Amino acid sequence: MSEFQYDEKMPHWGFKSWNDFFTRRFRPNARPVAEPNNSKVITSACESTPYAIEQNVKLSDTFWIKSQPYSLKDIFTASKETLAEKFVGGTVYQAFLSAYNYHRWHAPVSGTVSDVYLVDGTYYSEAESEGQDPAGPNNSEGYITSVATRMVMVIDCDDPDLGKIASVFVGMAEVSSCISVVKIGQHVAKGDEIGYFQFGGSTYCMIFQKDVAFVNHFTFPQAIMKSTFDKENPSIIKLNSVLAVVR
């Protein structure tokens, strides 16, 4: 709590409701933006635990037993197929936000918001192949990117080597409030707040176009992914820290 804004002298430390506490803000400079003037550095949009990286993603894919592929047409929705096509063959990075994490989103790059829209979706939906999950849909994170309530946001990066980056902020379990604070045509700087979740744990994806050339891919070993929910101390990628570097 020492990293967050609150006032011990006020009732409930100044929080007006549970949700006001849940969407609490960091203190100034608690999460400095990594290399704000280096456009080749992509930062973490959320305080979160890495879940998966998948390359060469398809426009349309099918769920099979023990498989949760990223199907771009389903993530973006059929009405946005033209947008989804721009990311075919690209890379998806996904990470998990527990209810204890900071739940606001910040721009991972500098650029202009070219699309932002809310997709109404399911609550508590799980991939049948995963079996019953007492923790909710934690084991079905890849699957719920296509079915759960989510905010899709696309940034046309100032740096042409990054192209377009899509961020998809997905509500998990009962989470249905995915709130954007930016609009189409607005320019954002890396590290600016762009939205937030309300009421519970969540997950998010960053989707990169095919020709984005990463340096050593991402900044953490893939060994820490997909098994973090059972660990007492999951590996957290801090907000605004370096997530990936592009040549």
Side-chain angles (χ1 to χ4, degrees), residues 19 22 105 118-124 148-151 169-179 196-202:
N19 198 49
F22 181 75
W105 327 325
L118 180 68
V119 180
D120 289 330
T122 61
Y123 315 117
Y124 286 103
T149 298
R150 56 200 181 276
M151 182 70 70
F169 302 98
V170 185
M172 292 179 65
E174 79 283 8
V175 179
S176 59
S177 295
C178 306
I179 311 297
Y196 55 93
F197 291 113
Q198 297 186 107
F199 301 116
S202 315

Side-chain angles (χ1 to χ4, degrees), residues 149-207:
T149 298
R150 56 200 181 276
M151 182 70 70
V152 180
M153 187 178 300
V154 181
I155 296 176
D156 290 354
C157 304
D158 289 346
D159 189 329
D161 289 338
L162 277 61
K164 293 177 178 288
I165 293 179
S167 296
V168 184
F169 302 98
V170 185
M172 292 179 65
E174 79 283 8
V175 179
S176 59
S177 295
C178 306
I179 311 297
S180 168
V181 298
V182 297
K183 58 185 179 181
I184 294 175
Q186 181 175 338
H187 186 272
V188 295
K190 183 165 62 175
D192 285 352
E193 184 180 332
I194 55 177
Y196 55 93
F197 291 113
Q198 297 186 107
F199 301 116
S202 315
T203 186
Y204 88 106
C205 290
M206 289 176 61
I207 308 176

Side-chain angles (χ1 to χ4, degrees), residues 7 11 28 38 51 61 66 77 79 82 104 109 112-113 122 132 135 138 157 163 182 203 206 212 224 234 243:
D7 186 348
N38 185 350
Y51 170 78
D61 213 331
K66 292 297 181 183
T77 71
S79 66
T82 300
R104 294 178 179 271
V109 293
T112 301
V113 178
T122 61
Q132 185 176 3
N138 286 358
C157 304
V182 297
T203 186
M206 289 176 61
V212 174
I224 71 173
L243 180 69

Side-chain angles (χ1 to χ4, degrees), residues 22 24 97-105 195-197 200-202:
F22 181 75
R24 62 197 181 276
L97 293 76
S98 84
Y100 296 101
N101 292 145
Y102 174 81
H103 263 67
R104 294 178 179 271
W105 327 325
Y196 55 93
F197 291 113
S202 315

Side-chain angles (χ1 to χ4, degrees), residues 1-15 27:
M1 281 301 297
S2 63
E3 296 180 317
F4 293 94
Q5 299 179 35
Y6 64 90
D7 186 348
E8 291 183 16
K9 297 178 181 179
M10 296 182 66
H12 314 297
W13 287 8
F15 297 111
R27 293 182 183 275

Side-chain angles (χ1 to χ4, degrees), residues 35-221:
E35 300 193 45
N37 297 317
N38 185 350
S39 64
K40 299 293 190 278
V41 171
I42 299 168
T43 55
S44 179
C46 296
E47 187 99 348
S48 50
T49 300
Y51 170 78
I53 296 173
E54 188 167 325
Q55 297 173 278
N56 195 27
V57 290
K58 299 178 182 179
L59 178 64
S60 183
D61 213 331
T62 305
F63 293 94
W64 297 99
I65 294 175
K66 292 297 181 183
S67 176
Q68 297 179 41
Y70 295 101
S71 181
L72 295 173
K73 184 177 178 180
D74 294 315
I75 292 172
F76 286 93
T77 71
S79 66
K80 292 284 187 176
E81 184 172 349
T82 300
L83 176 61
E85 288 173 346
K86 298 181 185 298
F87 295 91
V88 172
T91 299
V92 173
Y93 162 79
Q94 186 173 1
F96 168 75
L97 293 76
S98 84
Y100 296 101
N101 292 145
Y102 174 81
H103 263 67
R104 294 178 179 271
W105 327 325
H106 291 242
V109 293
S110 295
T112 301
V113 178
S114 60
D115 222 328
V116 56
Y117 57 95
L118 180 68
V119 180
D120 289 330
T122 61
Y123 315 117
Y124 286 103
S125 183
E126 300 177 56
E128 189 174 6
S129 61
E130 293 294 337
Q132 185 176 3
D133 181 359
N138 286 358
N139 294 338
S140 302
E141 282 194 59
Y143 160 76
I144 67 172
T145 61
S146 296
V147 299
T149 298
R150 56 200 181 276
M151 182 70 70
V152 180
M153 187 178 300
V154 181
I155 296 176
D156 290 354
C157 304
D158 289 346
D159 189 329
D161 289 338
L162 277 61
K164 293 177 178 288
I165 293 179
S167 296
V168 184
F169 302 98
V170 185
M172 292 179 65
E174 79 283 8
V175 179
S176 59
S177 295
C178 306
I179 311 297
S180 168
V181 298
V182 297
K183 58 185 179 181
I184 294 175
Q186 181 175 338
H187 186 272
V188 295
K190 183 165 62 175
D192 285 352
E193 184 180 332
I194 55 177
Y196 55 93
F197 291 113
Q198 297 186 107
F199 301 116
S202 315
T203 186
Y204 88 106
C205 290
M206 289 176 61
I207 308 176
F208 303 90
Q209 292 184 290
K210 180 179 179 180
D211 295 329
V212 174
F214 295 103
V215 176
N216 296 326
H217 219 71
F218 288 78
T219 58
F220 51 83

